[in-house]
Amino acid sequence: MKSFTYRKRISPLLNSPMFAIVTFLLAHATRTECLQIGYGYTGGRGRVVVPVVSKTSARSAFVPPCRKPAHINKARALFMQVDESNTNDGISINAVVAKSGVQEAERLRQKAKELMNEAITAENALRSSKQQAEKLKNTALDEIFDDLTCGILTDVVVEEDGSEIDRTTESELNRQLMNNLRDKRLSSTKMIQLIERLHERSIATEKKLMAVSVNTNGQEIENGFNIGDMANSREYMETELQMLKWNIDRIIDAQGLLDTERTERSVRGGDKGLASVLEARLRDLRKAEEESFQRKLAMKFNERGTINTGVGEFVQETMGDQNVTIKIDGKEFTGSKVNMTRLMEDIVQVPMWVPSSILPFVIVCRKDLDPVDLKRLRAEVLTGSQFKVENSDFTRLAAIYRGSFLQKRRGALYGAAPIAPSDPTSASEKTTETQERRSEVVFDEVQDRLKEAGLADKIQLFLMEDPEWRPGDRDPEPLPSILAVSSEVIPEQGYEREIGKKFVAGLSILGTFIATFAYAVAGFALNPGFFDAVVNNNDISKLISLAPIVLGVFGISVIHDAAHQIAASKSDVKIGLPVPLPSLQIGTFGSITPLRSFPKTRKALFDVAMSGPLVGALVSIACMISGISMTVHASSDALTTFAVVPAVIMKTSVLVGSFCSIMAPKVMALPASQLIPVHPLFLVGFAGLISSALNLLPIGRLDGGRATTAVLGRRSAYLVSFATLLFLAIAALTQTSAISIFFGLLVTLFQRNAEIPMRDELTDVDDARVGVYIFSILLTVVSLAPFPGGPAL
């Protein structure tokens, strides 16, 4: 082994751990099989002994460690580790160097991770600090805004004596806001920050309102609405957005008034001309927002610039406006997914105070109410009328005003003459009479004021009981309420105007003709002469004898519908074309006659409903009495040409049996299966009477159900309708009445729903109409109830 002696000035380099690593790398670079290496101080004059090991060397002489630098001792201890696999007791350079490199790299990696975690922690802390500071700043600005606007926007108050407090005008609002600004003494910087904060809130609300979320299929749909989360409902956000924008303008206007006042008074230290600065800042914010939107739109366009699409397709792809079609009340609606989702949200979010009777038409129309029109309705129509508004609610599609009717200051009700205090009896009678027509008088006044304000072509009103009232509520009775919807809301009932539904209506007309023809055939089938001529001799000329029955049944139906049309015309109610319903027992059950406009009053609905079945029943009774009379006085030869029916048919109705008992008492004594000839006019009257009586049943949208709604009110009519349907179901299940099975099925499918609302649902019908209603109920009972000892229909 050879040793080289170096001077002391380079000894630190040679004694460093890096020297050992460099030596190892050089050995590998020159492909020298250097197996072992050692180094150390000689302990003398600072000389360093560097052993150089040849290929055949097995050991390296080490100098004992000195007390010099600590890192050298550490490195020496590291390289003194002996490789147990080395039989020559040497040190493996590859293993030691590799192990030290891995350990050093791991140490540096851990150090880097620690530094990165420290940086992330510091960044999060800084971001959290900024967010907390921004939150505190925004909270302070929101509190300032609340303090400025608190107590300014007030509702109209109507005193018990009829005196009114008009809504504060816009100039008065600005002046009150100016006074609040003067009291707060906000600096120009704080005012600018307030405007920026309000603008930020409006933008956030607008983005949240119009935001869309992307589902797993990549389709854009509008954010949904969680039940109970009213703060995220569309109605709440639209109201908040409108109020924020309105308040920004009001604050700037109030600051302008304050600047003018300070200029006039030459107040020093004030922020003169601050309103113009705020307006400029607001313009800059809105311009920046618009430019941001344009940049986003341009980026979207550039992304799709290579795609060969038209402008319409580009708009659809960019805005998510892909058309879909849904159907409501039989009417198809086609639009973007966003709009259709909004339509479904409207259905879900409609509050409980929108009556179910008008809800389908409001949803189908989807005409929003203008907030300005609602403000005018409250200020110009309801304020100053004899309807005192106590509370109100509104959505985009409807608004409701709950309240009560007021008296004049002199003590008399509106529309009634003052009552003389010296005549208490007369006063009581006049007060009672006026109370019965109070709702009608007040609502007429409100309608007149609506026309005078020029809102009749935009808004239509409904006077009704509070739809949200339930028995057991704080109020013993439901409050009178005025519901406001768009004037474009009409009871279209679009399912009856579809091509498919028109086809079904045509089939119904054809089926009614076939059923009526079958009813006529059944009347003559037991006549021996008719049966022999048609069946045995194939003489179809005998079928001409069926014409009186067929034409008679259709004639009574036409009279029934014509009476409806005449009454509707007088009451200014539009009705649709009637659609007849076939019946296997009597040819036809009558017709479905939809209403195409809202009746003005309950009286109008009553007149339209009662006119058809009552006129039809009277004509049917006249035909039936004439038929019985002609049968009794007919000759023997004439009787052979009449229809032949079992005697039991006379006992299926109390009214029919009563007429027969008076006019033909011997017939009622015959056995039930005894065949008797009757004039065809009797069968016409019998079918018309039963059909009219069935239509007078108090169910849903039948004529009887409409009359019940007009007389008893909507809540009571619903209970009566349910009880009647339950009775028909029991009769059908017990097989007591065959006709109840088919009629009950048709009514359940087509006519069970409650009738559309009247414009005035609070004003009762008069006593004369109540008497007519009672008569119709009695007529229904005696027509459908079986004669003692007879079977039911």
Side-chain angles (χ1 to χ4, degrees):
M1 180 176 65
K2 298 179 181 181
S3 301
F4 298 94
T5 303
Y6 299 90
R7 294 188 178 276
K8 190 174 181 179
R9 63 175 178 266
I10 64 172
S11 63
L13 174 63
L14 299 177
N15 286 279
S16 65
M18 185 60 68
F19 178 75
I21 297 174
V22 171
T23 305
F24 173 76
L25 294 177
L26 290 174
H28 275 274
T30 57
R31 298 186 180 276
T32 303
E33 298 181 7
C34 180
L35 300 178
Q36 298 174 354
I37 185 170
Y39 62 94
Y41 279 96
T42 61
R45 300 174 181 175
R47 296 167 39 151
V48 178
V49 178
V50 180
V52 179
V53 184
S54 63
K55 294 182 179 179
T56 58
S57 299
R59 295 182 61 87
S60 173
F62 288 88
V63 180
C66 64
R67 301 177 182 177
K68 295 287 178 158
H71 72 278
I72 297 179
N73 294 335
K74 184 176 180 181
R76 183 175 182 277
L78 175 66
F79 281 92
M80 283 298 291
Q81 297 178 5
V82 180
D83 189 354
E84 295 179 358
S85 62
N86 193 341
T87 57
N88 296 321
D89 298 328
I91 300 176
S92 175
I93 296 177
N94 291 339
V96 172
V97 174
K99 184 175 181 181
S100 64
V102 171
Q103 291 178 349
E104 185 70 14
E106 184 65 25
R107 185 183 67 81
L108 294 176
R109 187 181 298 110
Q110 291 296 332
K111 186 66 175 178
K113 287 184 178 179
E114 293 176 0
L115 292 175
M116 182 177 295
N117 292 334
E118 290 179 2
I120 293 175
T121 303
E123 183 180 1
N124 291 337
L126 181 60
R127 184 183 297 110
S128 177
S129 177
K130 289 183 177 180
Q131 291 178 352
Q132 186 67 21
E134 187 70 18
K135 183 178 179 180
L136 294 175
K137 175 185 173 182
N138 292 338
T139 302
L141 292 174
D142 292 340
E143 291 178 355
I144 292 175
F145 171 69
D146 293 338
D147 293 340
L148 289 176
T149 58
C150 181
I152 292 181
L153 301 178
T154 57
D155 292 332
V156 177
V157 177
V158 181
E159 302 295 338
E160 294 294 337
D161 58 355
S163 60
E164 301 137 7
I165 300 177
D166 294 335
R167 178 181 289 273
T168 308
T169 62
E170 186 171 321
S171 60
E172 293 176 346
L173 291 176
N174 292 338
R175 188 161 296 280
Q176 294 181 36
L177 191 56
M178 180 195 69
N179 295 333
N180 291 346
L181 285 173
R182 184 192 299 113
D183 296 338
K184 297 293 291 186
R185 300 193 180 198
L186 300 176
S187 63
S188 59
T189 303
K190 189 65 69 175
M191 287 295 298
I192 294 176
Q193 292 177 353
L194 178 62
I195 295 299
E196 291 175 349
R197 172 58 181 164
L198 295 179
H199 178 74
E200 177 186 352
R201 285 176 56 180
S202 65
I203 294 299
T205 304
E206 189 171 5
K207 288 182 178 180
K208 189 177 180 181
L209 184 63
M210 301 302 297
V212 293
S213 60
V214 182
N215 61 15
T216 56
N217 296 326
Q219 299 172 342
E220 294 183 353
I221 57 175
E222 193 171 3
N223 285 336
F225 169 70
N226 297 324
I227 296 178
D229 189 9
M230 293 303 298
N232 290 323
S233 66
R234 177 175 297 278
E235 173 188 345
Y236 179 87
M237 288 188 290
E238 288 179 345
T239 304
E240 183 181 13
L241 179 61
Q242 179 182 359
M243 295 305 296
L244 284 172
K245 292 182 177 180
W246 186 84
N247 279 304
I248 292 175
D249 296 334
R250 297 288 72 74
I251 290 176
I252 295 178
D253 292 343
Q255 183 63 45
L257 294 176
L258 187 59
D259 292 343
T260 303
E261 181 184 89
R262 287 174 175 176
T263 302
E264 293 176 353
R265 296 182 180 181
S266 300
V267 178
R268 295 188 177 183
D271 296 320
K272 298 182 180 180
L274 180 57
S276 59
V277 176
L278 298 179
E279 289 178 354
R281 181 55 181 160
L282 182 61
R283 285 195 301 269
D284 293 341
L285 293 173
R286 291 174 176 175
K287 183 178 180 181
E289 185 65 26
E290 183 179 357
E291 290 177 352
S292 175
F293 174 77
Q294 294 295 336
R295 285 195 300 270
K296 293 179 181 178
L297 192 61
M299 291 174 60
K300 204 73 174 178
F301 179 79
N302 291 333
E303 290 176 2
R304 301 181 181 271
T306 58
I307 302 177
N308 186 17
T309 57
V311 176
E313 296 177 356
F314 166 73
V315 172
Q316 288 184 355
E317 294 177 2
T318 304
M319 306 306 293
D321 192 14
Q322 300 177 1
N323 288 340
V324 294
T325 301
I326 63 174
K327 185 180 294 185
I328 299 178
D329 193 29
K331 189 174 182 179
E332 291 186 352
F333 293 86
T334 302
S336 66
K337 293 178 181 179
V338 173
N339 290 336
M340 294 300 101
T341 304
R342 183 175 180 181
L343 172 61
M344 299 309 297
E345 280 188 358
D346 288 338
I347 298 175
V348 175
Q349 298 177 20
V350 170
M352 295 297 294
W353 50 260
V354 178
S356 59
S357 57
I358 198 175
L359 175 61
F361 313 121
V362 174
I363 295 298
V364 168
C365 178
R366 298 194 71 236
K367 178 66 175 178
D368 294 356
L369 291 174
D370 191 345
V372 177
D373 293 338
L374 290 179
K375 184 184 298 185
R376 292 184 58 198
L377 173 65
R378 180 71 177 266
E380 301 178 17
V381 178
L382 298 180
T383 300
S385 69
Q386 292 302 303
F387 183 81
K388 174 188 176 182
V389 178
E390 298 181 357
N391 59 78
S392 61
D393 290 306
F394 69 93
T395 64
R396 293 188 308 103
L397 303 176
I400 190 171
Y401 303 91
R402 305 177 185 89
S404 59
F405 302 130
L406 294 176
Q407 294 181 352
K408 277 194 172 184
R409 300 175 184 174
R410 293 189 300 270
L413 294 170
Y414 181 83
I419 300 174
S422 59
D423 189 2
T425 303
S426 176
S428 176
E429 293 177 355
K430 291 183 179 180
T431 301
T432 303
E433 179 182 0
T434 307
Q435 287 176 347
E436 292 179 354
R437 58 187 296 267
R438 176 173 56 172
S439 58
E440 181 180 7
V441 171
V442 172
F443 191 60
D444 287 344
E445 180 207 10
V446 172
Q447 294 279 53
D448 293 338
R449 293 172 66 92
L450 186 71
K451 294 179 181 178
E452 294 175 358
L455 297 175
D457 58 340
K458 299 179 181 179
I459 299 176
Q460 57 180 329
L461 304 179
F462 294 83
L463 180 63
M464 58 182 63
E465 296 178 346
D466 184 6
E468 290 186 306
W469 181 87
R470 297 294 182 270
D473 287 354
R474 181 181 60 181
D475 297 322
E477 295 181 355
L479 292 176
S481 303
I482 292 181
L483 180 72
V485 298
S486 172
S487 59
E488 296 184 15
V489 175
I490 55 176
E492 276 293 328
Q493 299 179 2
Y495 63 87
E496 295 180 2
R497 302 191 177 188
E498 264 188 332
I499 296 179
K501 296 301 180 180
K502 290 181 179 179
F503 178 74
V504 173
L507 289 180
S508 180
I509 295 174
L510 179 61
T512 302
F513 176 79
I514 295 175
T516 305
F517 182 80
Y519 173 71
V521 170
F524 279 89
L526 298 178
N527 185 309
F530 178 86
F531 183 85
D532 184 67
V534 175
V535 177
N536 297 331
N537 299 328
N538 295 325
D539 184 8
I540 61 175
S541 62
K542 285 291 185 178
L543 295 178
I544 195 65
S545 58
L546 304 178
I549 296 179
V550 175
L551 296 178
V553 172
F554 272 104
I556 292 180
S557 296
V558 171
I559 293 174
H560 179 117
D561 295 327
H564 278 315
Q565 189 65 50
I566 294 173
S569 179
K570 290 184 177 181
S571 301
D572 196 17
V573 178
K574 298 179 181 179
I575 61 176
L577 295 177
V579 179
L581 297 176
S583 170
L584 298 177
Q585 292 84 8
I586 55 176
T588 178
F589 284 129
S591 301
I592 297 176
T593 307
L595 301 181
R596 298 299 187 197
S597 65
F598 298 107
K600 292 183 177 180
T601 62
R602 290 161 63 172
K603 296 177 183 178
L605 179 64
F606 181 88
D607 294 343
V608 174
M610 283 284 98
S611 58
L614 286 183
V615 172
L618 293 177
V619 174
S620 299
I621 291 174
C623 291
M624 189 171 56
I625 293 175
S626 300
I628 296 174
S629 177
M630 291 180 182
T631 302
V632 171
H633 296 90
S635 61
S636 300
D637 294 336
L639 290 176
T640 59
T641 61
F642 286 176
V644 177
V645 296
V648 70
I649 195 175
M650 306 297 180
K651 299 180 181 181
T652 56
S653 170
V654 171
L655 187 61
V656 175
S658 300
F659 285 136
C660 290
S661 297
I662 296 173
M663 302 180 66
K666 295 182 180 180
V667 174
M668 302 302 294
L670 295 175
S673 59
Q674 178 66 44
L675 299 179
I676 57 173
V678 292
H679 193 277
L681 203 56
F682 170 81
L683 294 180
V684 171
F686 179 81
L689 177 64
I690 301 303
S691 175
S692 299
L694 290 173
N695 278 273
L696 285 173
L697 288 174
I699 300 175
R701 294 184 177 181
L702 293 177
D703 293 330
R706 291 170 174 172
T708 303
T709 302
V711 174
L712 302 181
R714 188 167 297 275
R715 297 177 187 271
S716 300
Y718 175 80
L719 297 177
V720 174
S721 177
F722 176 78
T724 307
L725 281 174
L726 182 62
F727 176 80
L728 287 179
I730 294 174
L733 293 175
T734 57
Q735 298 182 353
T736 304
S737 172
I739 200 171
S740 64
I741 299 176
F742 301 99
F743 183 74
L745 178 62
L746 291 176
V747 168
T748 303
L749 291 176
F750 301 109
Q751 296 287 81
R752 73 180 185 279
N753 294 330
E755 190 50 81
I756 64 176
M758 290 73 72
R759 302 287 295 275
D760 178 8
E761 292 204 348
L762 293 187
T763 304
D764 297 331
V765 299
D766 51 41
D767 294 340
R769 288 179 171 83
V770 174
V772 173
Y773 175 74
I774 295 174
F775 170 77
S776 69
I777 295 296
L778 295 177
L779 178 62
T780 303
V781 172
V782 298
S783 298
L784 299 179
F787 192 82
L793 287 170

